[in-house]
Amino acid sequence: MDRRRFLIHSTSAAIGAAGFRSCFAQSADSSAKQPLPEGSGASQSEANAPVAAELVVDLQSPSHLIPLTYNGLSYELAQLSNPNFFSGANKELIALFRLLSPQGILRLGGNSSEFCWFKADASTLAPGIVPAGGPVAENWMPNKLFQINPEAVDRLAGFLHASGWQVIYGLNLGHSSPERAVKEAEYVAHAVGDKLLYFQIGNEPDFYHNANNKTRPPNWSFADYLTEWTAFADAVTARVPDARFGGPDVGSSSNWINQFLAGAAKNLGSRLMAVTGHYYAEGPPDDPKVTTKRLLHTDSNIAKRTQLIAEAAAKDHVVYRMTEGNSCYRGGKPGMSDAFASALWAGDYMLALATAGCAGVNLHGGSREFLRASLGDHMPGELVSKAGSAAKGGYYTPIDGEVASGFSARPIFYGMFLANQLAGGNTHAVTLNGLDGANVTAYAVEKDGKLRIAVFNKDETRNVQLALRGIPSQQATVWRLVAPALDSTSDVTLCGSGMSAAGWTPSAPENLSSAAAEGLSLNLPHASAALILLEA
């Protein structure tokens, strides 16, 4: 399934008369004029001349706060079957989490969560599972169970306290029972304490009845799901009175979110904290139509539909969070998901959702072992691996590595970090004029009394000269996000420096200044991004 459909189909009909307000970010229409082709008669200097455009910030526009907890990572719950991974002793991973965000949200769930079981004590036995059946190539769910011991939860608590992050913890709905969920939730709540944000029950339940999932019969519906989900939630609450919940954590059915709001909010009241869903921009990785060019032309409808859902959620006093997603589903595409293109996509995508009212984004990743297992031991990206990409693994993971070999930041990590520099700020509307079809987006916030503007030139060939308008300051500092090429899997820098567990220091800030009559102007080369920090 092409998960671009999520948030695009059926949402407006389900929500009814709710209308959109204008998006806070604006990009060029993909149908606009493209660069001059060869043989057009234009000189080389004309073809390479930067596009003269204008960026206007409306300081009087309606705004809202981007939460400090906006940034997040998503991992398979099965990762806890290795208690050394999320542990207070895993210093490198803790350092990278803290670098990405001092107040991030870790989500544990994924396909594998439906095959995880908590061994509460020596007498607890593993649940039974029904084999998927059918051709192995058509099964995209795990082929085995994953045992989680209390020790792993204790170590998770140590990891969370050391990193400063909170956790969204996924409970098994697919192959479990309320009784099992209660024991696990009770232990997690006690061990993790105030680092537990909320529980989710089930992962992508809208796919349960699919032929490549087979967690439930073909005629299983949302009504069946809500009945089961409510039984789990009520059982957990009976033993954990302070438990809070999010859901439905759907894969693509946005109409389930609206139905969940109507049902769960009524049944749970203040126990419901968030509605949640997933979004993968492209996929599968072995589809030749999945390209970097298509990835970087972000569908503007995503932000519009996100805004509708966020507004509907707010009416029930809950938030909307994108709890799992990435550039390309089923492990990502090599040369795209593990390359610099993913950094530009992630920064732009996260800020598009933030300005639309989304409360947070968790991009999926983790160790190769568990990502592969979560997909029925398939990793189709390996079939199209390019030079410079890892021969195996989850190409989209923001943090690469294993406990034994160490951890490193992938290019997408840089885009997430850049987006996080706007967290804690109040949004302002941005308009881009005169782009002449160049693929450029921009976002602005006011934070600590100063403006911050993030600009993404996702165009593969066209440089842009941006005149900044509506800005009182005549002084600014610029951090540039660059790499040798869109398919570069290394040598990515932000403000002249790379990122690692050892930290990051901006080593090459640029100063912008101008006479009052002229205003500030920024040269933004193709395939790059910039963060503009304006002085008061």
Side-chain angles (χ1 to χ4, degrees):
M1 177 177 290
D2 185 345
R3 300 189 194 182
R4 278 181 173 271
R5 296 176 183 174
F6 180 60
L7 296 179
I8 296 176
H9 69 85
S10 78
T11 306
S12 55
I15 293 178
F20 327 144
R21 292 194 297 267
S22 61
C23 288
F24 286 100
Q26 181 173 334
S27 62
D29 189 324
S30 60
S31 64
K33 185 169 63 177
Q34 298 300 309
L36 294 170
E38 292 184 15
S40 65
S43 69
Q44 188 64 38
S45 60
E46 289 175 320
N48 292 336
V51 176
E54 183 182 65
L55 185 156
V56 182
V57 179
D58 182 0
L59 298 177
Q60 304 304 315
S61 61
S63 69
H64 66 269
L65 180 70
I66 301 176
L68 287 170
T69 55
Y70 187 79
N71 217 329
L73 294 168
S74 169
Y75 282 74
E76 294 293 325
L77 183 63
Q79 198 83 57
L80 290 182
S81 63
N82 175 3
N84 295 320
F85 194 87
F86 288 119
S87 164
N90 194 345
K91 303 300 184 183
E92 273 196 320
L93 190 59
I94 289 169
L96 286 167
F97 269 58
R98 289 185 63 84
L99 176 60
L100 182 61
S101 172
Q103 297 171 269
I105 305 295
L106 168 65
R107 176 261 187 175
L108 295 174
N111 282 354
S112 68
S113 65
E114 308 290 19
F115 293 78
C116 289
W117 66 285
F118 182 66
K119 191 170 180 59
D121 51 45
S123 65
T124 305
L125 301 178
I129 58 171
V130 178
V136 173
E138 296 178 8
N139 174 38
W140 291 95
M141 295 296 283
N143 300 310
K144 62 181 180 180
L145 293 170
F146 305 91
Q147 179 179 319
I148 297 175
N149 295 324
E151 174 195 17
V153 178
D154 294 338
R155 293 189 180 186
L156 170 65
F159 180 91
L160 295 170
H161 283 284
S163 64
W165 282 42
Q166 292 177 285
V167 67
I168 299 169
Y169 192 97
L171 297 170
N172 182 347
L173 177 66
H175 302 96
S176 188
S177 67
E179 293 74 22
R180 286 181 178 273
V182 163
K183 291 182 179 180
E184 185 171 8
E186 191 172 27
Y187 194 94
V188 169
H190 176 75
V192 175
D194 62 2
K195 292 300 182 182
L196 174 63
L197 189 59
Y198 53 81
F199 291 109
Q200 292 199 126
I201 303 169
N203 176 77
E204 299 185 345
D206 52 325
F207 293 162
Y208 277 10
H209 62 267
N210 288 1
N212 65 1
N213 187 301
K214 296 184 178 179
T215 302
R216 293 292 187 274
N219 62 348
W220 195 73
S221 67
F222 174 81
D224 299 314
Y225 159 74
L226 185 60
T227 298
E228 291 187 35
W229 190 95
T230 302
F232 273 65
D234 286 346
V236 169
T237 303
R239 292 284 290 273
V240 189
D242 293 334
R244 297 295 181 265
F245 300 91
D249 218 36
V250 291
S252 72
S253 303
S254 55
N255 59 313
W256 276 47
I257 292 180
N258 307 311
Q259 295 179 75
F260 186 79
L261 268 172
K266 179 180 178 181
N267 295 337
L268 270 70
S270 62
R271 289 184 288 157
L272 182 67
M273 288 188 65
V275 288
T276 59
H278 300 175
Y279 175 74
Y280 286 83
E282 296 288 347
D286 49 347
D287 182 345
K289 295 190 297 295
V290 173
T291 64
T292 292
K293 184 175 182 178
R294 195 169 84 161
L295 173 70
L296 293 180
H297 279 81
T298 306
D299 191 331
S300 62
N301 284 323
I302 297 301
K304 294 176 182 178
R305 300 306 191 242
T306 295
Q307 185 170 333
L308 286 176
I309 292 179
E311 290 175 349
K315 293 178 182 178
D316 283 305
H317 308 289
V318 301
V319 300
Y320 172 59
R321 189 172 186 98
M322 186 69 76
T323 46
E324 181 189 319
N326 214 302
S327 60
C328 180
Y329 65 82
R330 294 182 182 170
K333 180 169 183 174
M336 181 182 84
S337 300
D338 61 347
F340 182 59
S342 68
L344 299 179
W345 169 80
D348 175 51
Y349 167 71
M350 292 181 68
L351 290 176
L353 265 62
T355 53
C358 186
V361 171
N362 294 73
L363 295 187
H364 200 53
S367 70
R368 296 170 181 141
E369 174 189 356
F370 294 109
L371 288 172
R372 178 188 292 277
S374 74
L375 295 168
D377 295 320
H378 308 304
M379 194 64 75
E382 294 172 358
L383 303 176
V384 291
S385 182
K386 296 183 178 181
S389 294
K392 299 179 181 179
Y395 299 98
Y396 56 33
T397 185
I399 300 176
D400 187 32
E402 307 289 345
V403 175
S405 58
F407 296 87
S408 61
R410 283 264 180 86
I412 193 171
F413 185 100
Y414 290 71
M416 297 176 71
F417 179 92
L418 189 153
N420 199 59
Q421 304 315 299
L422 273 64
N426 286 287
T427 58
H428 284 298
V430 175
T431 303
L432 291 165
N433 300 317
L435 287 175
D436 194 27
N439 185 11
V440 179
T441 56
Y443 309 87
V445 302
E446 188 171 354
K447 182 175 180 179
D448 301 326
K450 300 179 181 180
L451 275 178
R452 296 187 178 196
I453 303 173
V455 191
F456 301 87
N457 186 349
K458 299 180 293 175
D459 206 286
E460 296 181 76
T461 59
R462 308 184 77 185
N463 304 328
V464 176
Q465 188 74 34
L466 280 175
L468 308 184
R469 300 289 184 252
I471 296 169
S473 174
Q474 297 300 310
Q475 300 288 330
T477 301
V478 177
W479 295 355
R480 293 189 183 274
L481 178 62
V482 298
L486 284 171
D487 61 356
S488 297
T489 57
S490 60
D491 299 320
V492 179
T493 60
L494 177 63
C495 199
S497 300
M499 296 184 176
S500 70
W504 172 80
T505 302
S507 61
E510 300 177 26
N511 294 319
L512 287 185
S513 61
S514 175
E518 298 175 1
L520 295 172
S521 180
L522 174 73
N523 175 39
L524 191 63
H526 66 278
S528 73
L531 178 66
I532 308 170
L533 307 169
L534 290 119
E535 299 300 325

